[in-house]
Amino acid sequence: ATITKPTTLQDISRAAMESKSSMDRRKLEQFAEQNSPAGKDPAQAALANLALGYYHLEQSNYAAAGAAFAAAQTATNPLRDYADFYAAVAAQAQGKTEQAATFLDEFQRRNPQSPLAPRAALENAKLLIELQRPQDAALRLEEAVGLPQPASLYFLARAYELSGRHAEAARTYQKVFFGYPLTAEATDASTRLQDLRLKMAAEYPAPATELWQQRADALFARSRWKDAETAYRSLAARSEE
């Protein structure tokens, strides 16, 4: 049987991703070179560089991935937002936290309607917290829409806490703990709430009855009977106060 050689970008990219071979990677590089801005199809060249970036990212070759994503960050790339986002991923993987945060700041301005925008806002906030810029992190999350939850709420609370906005931090951690009781973020939020309760003493905001109801119902719906019973008992005790 005759074996058909890959000729389209989709074929060449798939072959490189599946085989992980340097030969197929080189074919992808050649495709990008042949269609470069000085060549016949700059958009195809940009997409080929985007695929190269993914290839190198999967190989943990972060410097090469960063270079490929940078080459894909052209006005002709119909997937420019993906090149912008993964350039930040590659920078972060290389320990270039400041650069990665800058890339994600630029992403927000260039690609506000991108499907990656919510994820970019969350990752940007995490980096800003790491860079000890919690106020900027809080602002990013406050301005963003469609954020992944409960991670975004947790990091918003963390940004508030590190900014000294303890009451807002407590209320936001409570949304995580009560609203998403079976998540890792809820476990972490519980720890942070304990610390805030000690720091704030009488100023600590008591969780609303609706939050206890939400937590109890969520636990019951997931068949966590013992935990649900505890939550319902806490709710009943609050109702009697």
Side-chain angles (χ1 to χ4, degrees), residues 77-147:
N77 188 351
L79 297 177
R80 168 69 185 267
D81 53 335
Y82 283 80
D84 289 345
F85 180 82
Y86 283 101
V89 172
Q92 184 181 8
Q94 295 175 77
K96 299 177 180 179
T97 306
E98 189 79 51
Q99 185 183 67
T102 298
F103 284 166
L104 290 174
D105 275 336
E106 293 171 353
F107 180 96
Q108 299 297 101
R109 289 191 292 272
R110 288 177 180 167
N111 312 287
Q113 303 303 317
S114 169
L116 291 174
R119 183 178 169 191
L122 173 58
E123 295 304 320
N124 194 11
K126 291 180 183 179
L127 293 175
L128 291 170
I129 289 172
E130 187 176 338
L131 292 167
Q132 299 182 3
R133 293 168 54 191
Q135 293 178 335
D136 290 335
L139 184 62
R140 296 292 183 279
L141 293 173
E142 288 169 343
E143 292 176 341
V145 295
L147 291 167

Side-chain angles (χ1 to χ4, degrees), residues 153-204:
L153 274 174
Y154 177 82
F155 282 101
L156 177 59
R158 188 73 181 129
Y160 285 152
E161 182 182 5
L162 293 172
S163 299
R165 298 160 65 177
H166 292 162
E168 290 169 281
R171 284 191 288 268
T172 309
Y173 282 133
Q174 287 170 357
K175 290 179 182 178
V176 177
F177 176 75
F178 289 97
Y180 303 90
L182 298 179
T183 64
E185 288 86 356
T187 301
D188 292 340
S190 177
T191 300
R192 303 311 313 149
L193 284 168
Q194 291 174 27
D195 288 345
L196 284 171
R197 191 179 293 111
L198 291 174
K199 287 179 182 177
M200 299 178 71
E203 295 182 358
Y204 179 82

Side-chain angles (χ1 to χ4, degrees), residues 6-17:
T7 55
T8 68
L9 175 56
Q10 183 177 5
D11 291 336
I12 296 169
S13 299
R14 183 184 296 112
M17 295 297 180

